[in-house]
C-alpha cells in the first residue's frame, strides 16, 4: 500500500534506569561560572497553557543547578508569541529564590508563533541587563518548533555572535526546526523538556568543561543510547472497491475501481545518542543477594526488595523468621470444592513457605494433614527435620475429591494430632499448638462445635483462603486477626510474611505492658458517624486502653475527638493510671457536626504530640484514627507530616470508603484496617493492638518530632540529644533568657493541660486560650 506522510509529532525516550541516574546526578550540579542565561519561552496558542506551565517548571528546575549571583550567573526571561515581551532583564533578580518565584508568576499570553521575530528582537536589543558579551551568553529557547515565520537567518546570526543556543522541545515538538535553532552539535544542544531532570542534566552537561565544573569527581559526561520516537499520522491506500461513475451514453452508468483510503497513526522509533552527566549508582555493585532487586535512593543510598523468604538483613540474606518454638500442623483441604488446581496450589504454597522461613535449627515441629470425607495425616508432627525429606513427602500428597467436612477434620485434628512428648521424666514439652487451615470451599458440616473444642484444647487456629471465604474463615477461627485472605492465586504467595507473623504471635500476651509508648486516639464524633456508632468507637477506645500499663514511664494515652474542629479530651500527661483514663473516656460527649480528619491530625501534630503537652522524646509515638471514611479529603498532607516527624498514623475505617484515599492517609496498607460494620470493630482489637505493639519496639529518633520549644534545634548525640536555643534556655528551650531586671515569664509545666468537663464544649475556647499562653 502507498503511504503518504501528513503530520509528525515526536518525543524522546530514555530507559528508566538511566533517568534515575540522571536525576540523582542532577542534585549534585551547581554552576558557579560567569554566565548570562536568557530564557526565551514560547507563549503561543499552539503551546497552550498546560505546556507553558511545564516550560516554566523546566526553567525553574534548571535554576536549581545555577549559582545565581550578580557576579556569577545572571538569569533573564522573554516570552514570545505574536510579539516578544521582556518578562524581566538579567539584572532584576539577584538570588535563586527571587528568580524562581518570578518565573512562577509569569502569565501565559497567547498568540501566533513568531520565533523569527523573537530572535530578531534579541539581535536588536541584546541580553538586557547582561554584561555586554564579556561573559558567555546562553540562550535557552523552549518551544514546540512550529514557527509561522522563518527563524533560519536570525538563528544563524545569533550563533555568529558566539551566543550558545539550546533548543528545548515542549509538547510534541517539530524537531527539524529545533535543530535549525540550536548550536552545534545538535545532539548536545537539542533537548526535550518533558522530563525536566533529564533536560536540565543535558544542558548542564554541555556547559561542563567549557564553563562549569563537573558535578563530582566520580561523575562524568558521557554519551549513551536513547530513542527518539515519532508518531506519524499517515494516509494509507488499503485497496480498491467497485464504484459507479457517469457515462457518455444516455440512461447508462459505468462500473469502475475507486481507491479506498484510511488514516492511521504509526509509531516510528529512531535510535539516537544523548549526552548526559552520569554518576556512579550504589546499585552498580549489585549489593542485593538471593535475587533481590536494588532500588537506588540518591547517589549513595539504596534499599533491597527481597524475594519471599529472604530479608534477614539489609542485603536479602536468608530469613529464618520461624524462630519461635511451636507445634505447627497444616490442615489442607483436598475436597472437590477446592478443585485439583487449588490443591496443587496449596502444595506449592506449603513448599515455598517452609523453604522460605525454616532453617536447619528451626525450633518448629511441622506436620501436614489433609481432609475431604476423611482426615489423613501423611506427615506427623516433627516426623521430618530435614527439608529434603519434608519436600518429598509434600510432593507425594494426593488429591481426594470428596465432600468438604471441615468441622469433622478440625475435631479429629484436635483429638489425635497433638501429643506432648516428655523432655525429662517429669516435664512435658508444652509448645504452643498452631493449626493452619488452607481451604477455599465452604464447609458442608457444622464448624461451631469443633472451633469451640479447639479453643478449649488451647489450640490456635489460623485460617487461610480466598477473599470470598473471609466470613466463613472468621466464623471458623472465631477471630478476624487469625484470618488471612488473598485476592488472586498469585497473591496467596504474598501472604507468606503475614502467616509467619501470625504463627509466632499466637502465644504473645496482648498489649505491650512493658513498652514505652505515646498513644493518641483520634475519634470521629461527627454526624456522619451518628450517636449509636460513636458509642461503639468510645467502647473500642476504652477496652483498648486495658491492654496498656498507663503511667509516665510506660504508656501515655491522649484522646482527641473531632467534628469540623478537633478537641483534646485529655492530653498525654493528664492521667497516670488506667482507672483515671477509663473514667475520662466514659464522659466523652458526641459532637454531631461535619467531619474534618485533616484538622484533627493537624491539631495532634501541633497541640498534642509536643513536649509542652507531655510527649516524651525518645519514645515511639502512634496515632490511631477511628473514622467512617468521611472528612478524609484534607487528611493526607497532615498524616504525611506526622509520619515525617516519626509519628505512625494507623487508620481504622468502618464502612464504605475509597481505598486510594485511605491509602494516602495511612501511607501503607500495613497501617490500614478496613472493617465492614461497627459491630465487627471489637473483633479486630487484638490485631490492631498487636500492630501498635510491633511499632513500639522499633528504633526511635529522639529528635523526631522536635522536642525543643521556641524554635530550638535538636542535636543528636550518642544515645541522647540536646537542644540548641536562641534567646531561650533550659533543657527544651522553655525559659526566656533574662535581660536586666525584667521578671522571668511564667512557664507552664510540661504536663500542663485542660481536663475535659462533661458539661459540654463551652469551656474549650477558654481552655485553648489558657494552654496557648
Amino acid at each position: 500500500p502507498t503511504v503518504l506522510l501528513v503530520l509528525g509529532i515526536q518525543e524522546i525516550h530514555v530507559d528508566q534506569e538511566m533517568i534515575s541516574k540522571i536525576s540523582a546526578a542532577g542534585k549534585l550540579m551547581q554552576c558557579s561560572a560567569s554566565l548570562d542565561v536568557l530564557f526565551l519561552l514560547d507563549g503561543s496558542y499552539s503551546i497552550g497553557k498546560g505546556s507553558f506551565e511545564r516550560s516554566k517548571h523546566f526553567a525553574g528546575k534548571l535554576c536549581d543547578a545555577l549559582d545565581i549571583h550578580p557576579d556569577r550567573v545572571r538569569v533573564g526571561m522573554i516570552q514570545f508569541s505574536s510579539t516578544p515581551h521582556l518578562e524581566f532583564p538579567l539584572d532584576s533578580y539577584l538570588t535563586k529564590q527571587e528568580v524562581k518565584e518570578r518565573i512562577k508568576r509569569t502569565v501565559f499570553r497567547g498568540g501566533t508563533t513568531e520565533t523569527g521575530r523573537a530572535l530578531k528582537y534579541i539581535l536588536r536589543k541584546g541580553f538586557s541587563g547582561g554584561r555586554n558579551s564579556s561573559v558567555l551568553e546562553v540562550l535557552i529557547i523552549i518551544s514546540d518548533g512550529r514557527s509561522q515565520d522563518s527563524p533560519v537567518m536570525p538563528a544563524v546570526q545569533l550563533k555568529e555572535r558566539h551566543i550558545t543556543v539550546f533548543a528545548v522541545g515542549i509538547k510534541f515538538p517539530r524537531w527539524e526546526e529545533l535543530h535549525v535553532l540550536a548550536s552545534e552539535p545538535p545532539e548536545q544542544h537539542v533537548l526535550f523538556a518533558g522530563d525536566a531532570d533529564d533536560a536540565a542534566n543535558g544542558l548542564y552537561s554541555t556547559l561542563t568543561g567549557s564553563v562549569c565544573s563537573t558535578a563530582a569527581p566520580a561523575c562524568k559526561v558521557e554519551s549513551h543510547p536513547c530513542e527518539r520516537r515519532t508518531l506519524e499520522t499517515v494516509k494509507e491506500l488499503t485497496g480498491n472497491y467497485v464504484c459507479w461513475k457517469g457515462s457518455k451514453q444516455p440512461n447508462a452508468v459505468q462500473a469502475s475501481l475507486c481507491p479506498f483510503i484510511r488514516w492511521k497513526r504509526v509509531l516510528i522509533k529512531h535510535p539516537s545518542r544523548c549526552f548526559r552527566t552520569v554518576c556512579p549508582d550504589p546499585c552498580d555493585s549489585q549489593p542485593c543477594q538471593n535475587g533481590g532487586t536494588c532500588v537506588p535512593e540518591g547517589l549513595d543510598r539504596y534499599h533491597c526488595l527481597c524475594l519471599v523468604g529472604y530479608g534477614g538483613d539489609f542485603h536479602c540474606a536468608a530469613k529464618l523468621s520461624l524462630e519461635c518454638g511451636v507445634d505447627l500442623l497444616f490442615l489442607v483441604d483436598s475436597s472437590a470444592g477446592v478443585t485439583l488446581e487449588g490443591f496443587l496450589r496449596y502444595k506449592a504454597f506449603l513448599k515455598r513457605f517452609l523453604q522460605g522461613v525454616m532453617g536447619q535449627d528451626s525450633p518448629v515441629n511441622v506436620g501436614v494433614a489433609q481432609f475431604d470425607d476423611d482426615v489423613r495425616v501423611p506427615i506427623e508432627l516433627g516426623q521430618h527435620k530435614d527439608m529434603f525429606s519434608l519436600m518429598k513427602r509434600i510432593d507425594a500428597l494426593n488429591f481426594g475429591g470428596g465432600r468438604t467436612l471441615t468441622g469433622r477434620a478440625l475435631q479429629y485434628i484436635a483429638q489425635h494430632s497433638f501429643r506432648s512428648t516428655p523432655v525429662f521424666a517429669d516435664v512435658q514439652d508444652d509448645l504452643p499448638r498452631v493449626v493452619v487451615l488452607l481451604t477455599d470451599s465452604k464447609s458442608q458440616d457444622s464448624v461451631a462445635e469443633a472451633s469451640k473444642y479447639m479453643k478449649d484444647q488451647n489450640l490456635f487456629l489460623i485460617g487461610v483462603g480466598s477473599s470470598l471465604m473471609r466470613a466463613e474463615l472468621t466464623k471458623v477461627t472465631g477471630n478476624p486477626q487469625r484470618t488471612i485472605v488473598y485476592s488472586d492465586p498469585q497473591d496467596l504467595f504474598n501472604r507468606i510474611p503475614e502467616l509467619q507473623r501470625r504463627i509466632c504471635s499466637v502465644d504473645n500476651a496482648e498489649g505491650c505492658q512493658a513498652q514505652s509508648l505515646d498513644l493518641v486516639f483520634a475519634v470521629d464524633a461527627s454526624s456522619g458517624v451518628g450517636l449509636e456508632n460513636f458509642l461503639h468507637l468510645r467502647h473500642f477506645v476504652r477496652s483498648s486502653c486495658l491492654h496498656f500499663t498507663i503511667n509516665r514511664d510506660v504508656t501515655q494515652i491522649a484522646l482527641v475527638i473531632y467534628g469540623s474542629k478537633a478537641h483534646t479530651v485529655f492530653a498525654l500527661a493528664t492521667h497516670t493510671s488506667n482507672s483515671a483514663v477509663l473514667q475520662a473516656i466514659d464522659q466523652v460527649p458526641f459532637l454531631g457536626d461535619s467531619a474534618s480528619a485533616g484538622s484533627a491530625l493537624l491539631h495532634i501534630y501541633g497541640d498534642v504530640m509536643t513536649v509542652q503537652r507531655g510527649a516524651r522524646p525518645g519514645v515511639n509515638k502512634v496515632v490511631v484514627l477511628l473514622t467512617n471514611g468521611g472528612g478524609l479529603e484534607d487528611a493526607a498532607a497532615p498524616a504525611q507530616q506526622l509520619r515525617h516527624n516519626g509519628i505512625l498514623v494507623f487508620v481504622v475505617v468502618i464502612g464504605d470508603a475509597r481505598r486510594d484515599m485511605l491509602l494516602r492517609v495511612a501511607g501503607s496498607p500495613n497501617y490500614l484496617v478496613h472493617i465492614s460494620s461497627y459491630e465487627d470493630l471489637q473483633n479486630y482489637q487484638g490485631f490492631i493492638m498487636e500492630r501498635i505493639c510491633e511499632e513500639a519496639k522499633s528504633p526511635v529518633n529522639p529528635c523526631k518530632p522536635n522536642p525543643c520549644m521556641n524554635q530550638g534545634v535538636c542535636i543528636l548525640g550518642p544515645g541522647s540529644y540536646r537542644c540548641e536555643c536562641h534567646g531561650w534556655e533550659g533543657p527544651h528551650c522553655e525559659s526566656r533568657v533574662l535581660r536586666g531586671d525584667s521578671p522571668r515569664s511564667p512557664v507552664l509545666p510540661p504536663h500542663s493541660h485542660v481536663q475535659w468537663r462533661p458539661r459540654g464544649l463551652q469551656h474549650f475556647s477558654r481552655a485553648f486560650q489558657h494552654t496557648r499562653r
Side-chain angles (χ1 to χ4, degrees):
T2 303
V3 176
L4 306 173
L5 177 64
V6 175
L7 174 67
I9 52 179
Q10 297 179 317
E11 55 183 323
I12 196 162
H13 281 253
V14 184
D15 67 87
Q16 192 56 46
E17 181 183 355
M18 185 57 68
I19 285 290
S20 65
K21 289 191 175 188
I22 288 167
S23 300
K27 293 172 184 173
L28 293 181
M29 294 178 173
Q30 191 64 212
C31 187
S32 298
S34 294
L35 202 63
D36 282 352
V37 177
L38 181 62
F39 287 106
L40 182 61
L41 260 67
D42 187 342
S44 65
Y45 289 130
S46 66
I47 282 285
K49 192 171 186 309
S51 292
F52 183 74
E53 291 300 317
R54 282 190 286 277
S55 300
K56 287 163 54 180
H57 172 71
F58 167 70
K61 192 77 180 178
L62 184 60
C63 287
D64 288 334
L66 301 175
D67 185 9
I68 297 173
H69 185 274
D71 299 328
R72 293 186 287 276
V73 182
R74 295 187 185 182
V75 175
M77 179 180 283
I78 295 172
Q79 181 181 169
F80 76 95
S81 51
S82 307
T83 57
H85 175 81
L86 180 64
E87 295 290 347
F88 59 92
L90 286 102
D91 56 359
S92 289
Y93 301 102
L94 308 180
T95 68
K96 184 181 300 187
Q97 195 57 40
E98 288 175 347
V99 171
K100 291 181 71 174
E101 285 298 323
R102 178 60 183 82
I103 290 172
K104 281 184 183 177
R105 295 200 308 271
T106 303
V107 178
F108 176 66
R109 295 178 179 274
T112 57
T113 312
E114 306 280 348
T115 310
R117 186 172 183 179
L119 299 181
K120 289 174 184 175
Y121 174 87
I122 295 172
L123 286 168
R124 188 171 68 254
K125 298 280 189 179
F127 275 41
S128 179
R131 286 164 276 192
N132 301 320
S133 303
S134 61
V135 300
L136 180 66
E137 294 178 321
V138 176
L139 177 65
I140 302 171
I141 306 170
I142 307 177
S143 171
D144 63 356
R146 297 174 182 275
S147 181
Q148 291 170 262
D149 62 354
S150 176
V152 177
M153 282 310 297
V156 171
Q157 291 171 331
L158 278 171
K159 286 176 271 191
E160 286 175 348
R161 291 192 185 183
H162 304 292
I163 295 171
T164 302
V165 182
F166 289 90
V168 183
I170 191 72
K171 202 173 183 180
F172 295 114
R174 193 168 282 158
W175 294 100
E176 58 272 17
E177 182 172 311
L178 297 180
H179 278 76
V180 168
L181 296 173
S183 295
E184 294 289 334
E187 60 268 20
Q188 294 190 36
H189 292 86
V190 177
L191 308 165
F192 181 59
D195 188 300
D197 285 329
D198 176 28
N201 183 312
L203 191 148
Y204 183 92
S205 301
T206 302
L207 296 175
T208 297
S210 60
V211 182
C212 306
S213 58
T214 54
C219 302
K220 58 184 179 181
V221 178
E222 62 180 37
S223 166
H224 66 84
C226 55
E227 185 181 86
R228 199 180 298 273
R229 294 184 181 183
T230 310
L231 188 61
E232 310 285 6
T233 303
V234 298
K235 186 178 181 182
E236 183 181 56
L237 177 63
T238 59
N240 297 300
Y241 68 99
V242 176
C243 60
W244 303 95
K245 296 185 177 181
S247 172
K248 293 180 181 179
Q249 298 176 5
N251 302 319
V253 292
Q254 181 179 337
S256 180
L257 291 177
C258 297
F260 179 70
I261 294 171
R262 70 176 180 183
W263 296 87
K264 65 183 292 187
R265 306 189 105 187
V266 181
L267 185 69
I268 302 174
K269 300 176 181 179
H270 307 280
S272 185
R273 298 204 69 78
C274 299
F275 285 82
R276 301 291 185 267
T277 298
V278 180
C279 299
D281 191 314
C283 290
D284 288 344
S285 61
Q286 299 181 334
C288 303
Q289 305 165 10
N290 299 307
T293 303
C294 182
V295 180
E297 297 174 349
L299 294 173
D300 57 356
R301 298 181 62 190
Y302 65 92
H303 69 271
C304 294
L305 296 176
C306 304
L307 296 176
V308 172
Y310 299 95
D313 68 1
F314 189 75
H315 299 101
C316 300
K319 181 167 57 174
L320 308 178
S321 293
L322 278 181
E323 294 175 354
C324 51
V326 294
D327 284 342
L328 176 62
L329 181 74
F330 288 93
L331 179 58
V332 184
D333 185 350
S334 64
S335 68
V338 82
T339 72
L340 174 60
E341 182 186 9
F343 178 71
L344 294 176
R345 187 183 308 126
Y346 284 146
K347 283 174 60 173
F349 173 79
L350 265 180
K351 291 174 66 175
R352 193 181 302 185
F353 178 85
L354 294 172
Q355 286 172 327
V357 302
M358 286 186 65
Q360 290 296 325
D361 301 321
S362 177
V364 178
N365 296 314
V366 175
V368 179
Q370 64 180 100
F371 73 96
D372 40 66
D373 286 308
D374 298 312
V375 186
R376 299 172 292 287
V377 187
I379 305 173
E380 294 188 359
L381 274 170
Q383 183 180 0
H384 297 283
K385 282 295 185 181
D386 66 292
M387 189 60 64
F388 178 78
S389 62
L390 185 57
M391 294 299 105
K392 196 172 178 181
R393 291 293 291 125
I394 292 173
D395 283 332
L397 297 179
N398 292 316
F399 180 60
R403 292 174 297 166
T404 311
L405 302 182
T406 311
R408 179 181 175 181
L410 291 173
Q411 191 89 20
Y412 180 90
I413 291 300
Q415 291 173 348
H416 302 289
S417 294
F418 292 92
R419 296 188 184 91
S420 292
T421 54
V423 178
F424 300 108
D426 56 346
V427 178
Q428 298 293 310
D429 179 15
D430 287 328
L431 293 176
R433 299 165 174 184
V434 182
V435 177
V436 177
L437 171 64
L438 296 168
T439 181
D440 203 19
S441 57
K442 291 189 176 181
S443 177
Q444 293 173 262
D445 64 348
S446 173
V447 297
E449 286 300 317
S451 180
K452 183 177 182 303
Y453 182 78
M454 292 191 78
K455 191 178 294 185
D456 292 342
Q457 296 297 310
N458 204 25
L459 299 179
F460 298 96
L461 177 60
I462 299 171
V464 180
S466 71
S467 52
L468 297 174
M469 288 288 293
R470 184 189 294 273
E472 172 87 359
L473 288 172
T474 303
K475 184 168 69 174
V476 173
T477 62
N479 194 337
Q481 68 242 33
R482 294 201 191 134
T483 298
I484 299 173
V485 297
Y486 53 90
S487 56
D488 55 63
Q490 182 53 45
D491 188 45
L492 169 62
F493 298 94
N494 298 333
R495 302 299 108 196
I496 287 176
E498 187 178 353
L499 180 57
Q500 289 173 246
R501 194 168 62 246
R502 291 283 175 274
I503 290 169
C504 281
S505 65
V506 290
D507 202 33
N508 291 350
E510 291 184 324
C512 28
Q513 301 290 337
Q515 197 67 39
S516 295
L517 181 68
D518 283 346
L519 174 62
V520 179
F521 288 98
V523 181
D524 187 344
S526 68
S527 57
V529 169
L531 176 58
E532 183 179 349
N533 293 331
F534 173 74
L535 295 178
H536 279 292
L537 296 179
R538 195 173 74 176
H539 177 69
F540 175 82
V541 173
R542 189 185 197 282
S543 57
S544 297
C545 292
L546 296 172
H547 292 259
F548 301 95
T549 301
I550 299 173
N551 60 48
R552 294 275 164 80
D553 298 319
V554 187
T555 300
Q556 292 189 145
I557 293 181
L559 176 59
V560 171
I561 61 171
Y562 70 91
S564 56
K565 294 181 180 178
H567 309 289
T568 302
V569 179
F570 50 85
L572 286 166
T574 303
H575 299 300
T576 57
S577 69
N578 289 65
S579 59
V581 167
L582 298 179
Q583 188 175 356
I585 292 171
D586 288 339
Q587 300 179 50
V588 177
F590 176 61
L591 299 177
D593 56 353
S594 58
S596 171
S599 65
L601 295 178
L602 281 174
H603 174 77
I604 290 168
Y605 176 78
D607 292 319
V608 180
M609 283 292 194
T610 64
V611 171
Q612 298 97 309
R613 300 290 184 266
R616 297 165 294 175
V619 171
N620 278 291
K621 293 170 174 56
V622 177
V623 175
V624 178
L625 178 67
L626 294 161
T627 174
N628 71 338
L632 289 176
E633 297 80 8
D634 59 349
Q640 180 58 39
Q641 183 69 18
L642 284 165
R643 282 192 292 274
H644 179 72
N645 282 275
I647 302 168
L648 170 70
V649 179
F650 203 104
V651 181
V652 180
V653 181
I654 303 96
D656 295 329
R658 282 176 34 213
R659 185 167 176 80
D660 59 335
M661 181 170 65
L662 298 177
L663 284 173
R664 285 199 298 273
V665 180
S668 163
N670 294 332
Y671 306 123
L672 173 64
V673 176
H674 202 165
I675 303 170
S676 58
S677 69
Y678 286 88
E679 289 73 18
D680 289 340
L681 178 60
Q682 212 62 28
N683 294 330
Y684 285 82
Q685 187 172 68
F687 169 68
I688 295 168
M689 294 304 105
E690 177 189 319
R691 291 292 291 112
I692 291 172
C693 293
E694 283 177 14
E695 288 301 320
K697 297 170 187 172
S698 61
V700 65
N701 181 347
C703 282
K704 281 193 171 187
N706 185 7
C708 309
M709 307 179 199
N710 301 305
Q711 285 77 54
V713 179
C714 183
I715 310 294
L716 271 177
S720 64
Y721 70 93
R722 64 181 178 85
C723 288
E724 193 174 271
C725 310
H726 302 282
W728 297 78
E729 59 185 4
H732 297 105
C733 307
E734 67 273 17
S735 305
R736 189 181 293 277
V737 173
L738 292 177
R739 285 192 171 85
D741 298 325
S742 60
R744 181 184 292 272
S745 301
V747 178
L748 290 174
H751 55 277
S752 177
H753 60 273
V754 178
Q755 269 194 311
W756 182 268
R757 301 186 184 181
R759 291 192 295 274
L761 299 176
Q762 64 267 31
H763 299 280
F764 268 120
S765 60
R766 236 181 9 252
F768 284 159
Q769 290 168 10
H770 168 65
T771 55
R772 285 192 168 121
R773 277 202 287 270

